[in-house]
Amino acid sequence: MIVKSVLKADTKRLSLTTEQQPKARTVILDAVVKYNEGVKQLKKSGMNQQKLRTLAVAVETEKVRNYKPILTPKQYDVLVANQKKMYPESKL
């Protein structure tokens, strides 16, 4: 369900083509799985807002990097601009 909504939002925001959507779905699915695994590990070791934010930044940054080969330069610029708004501490 999360993957569907993120894919729908990315399709609208980035104007993904039908050829890009399956690859984008894979990137999103990988990011969701990594985030969920990270949350499970944080729950075991003691979770707080700072650790959760760090995990989210790492996962989202990796997602943006994985998106780069499938997007056009214009689409990638839109994605990076959005990433910088949401996570100014991310390193792209």
Side-chain angles (χ1 to χ4, degrees), residues 9-25:
D10 282 355
T11 300
K12 191 173 190 178
R13 180 182 49 187
L14 301 173
S15 303
L16 294 177
T17 64
T18 54
E19 293 82 30
Q20 291 172 322
Q21 286 180 357
K23 294 174 186 173
R25 187 179 192 289

Side-chain angles (χ1 to χ4, degrees), residues 19-34:
E19 293 82 30
Q20 291 172 322
Q21 286 180 357
K23 294 174 186 173
R25 187 179 192 289
T26 304
V27 169
I28 294 166
L29 187 61
D30 290 343
V32 169
V33 169
K34 286 181 183 177

Side-chain angles (χ1 to χ4, degrees), residues 2 20 47 56 58-59 71:
I2 291 172
Q20 291 172 322
M47 183 171 29
V59 170
L71 297 178

Side-chain angles (χ1 to χ4, degrees), residues 35-47:
Y35 182 78
N36 288 342
E37 290 298 319
V39 168
K40 285 179 187 176
Q41 289 178 357
L42 284 178
K43 283 183 179 179
K44 289 180 184 175
S45 67
M47 183 171 29

Side-chain angles (χ1 to χ4, degrees), residues 1 19 32 38 44 50 55 63 75 77 85 89 91:
M1 191 155 98
E19 293 82 30
V32 169
K44 289 180 184 175
Q50 184 179 5
L55 173 65
K63 182 180 121 185
Q75 289 172 323
D77 289 342
K85 280 184 206 173
E89 66 270 25
K91 306 230 182 332

Side-chain angles (χ1 to χ4, degrees), residues 36-77:
N36 288 342
E37 290 298 319
V39 168
K40 285 179 187 176
Q41 289 178 357
L42 284 178
K43 283 183 179 179
K44 289 180 184 175
S45 67
M47 183 171 29
N48 61 30
Q49 282 298 110
Q50 184 179 5
K51 288 180 182 179
L52 194 59
R53 176 74 179 191
T54 303
L55 173 65
V57 168
V59 170
E60 286 294 322
T61 302
E62 185 177 341
K63 182 180 121 185
V64 170
R65 288 186 182 135
N66 290 340
Y67 254 129
K68 189 173 185 174
I70 64 172
L71 297 178
T72 64
K74 185 178 177 182
Q75 289 172 323
Y76 186 71
D77 289 342

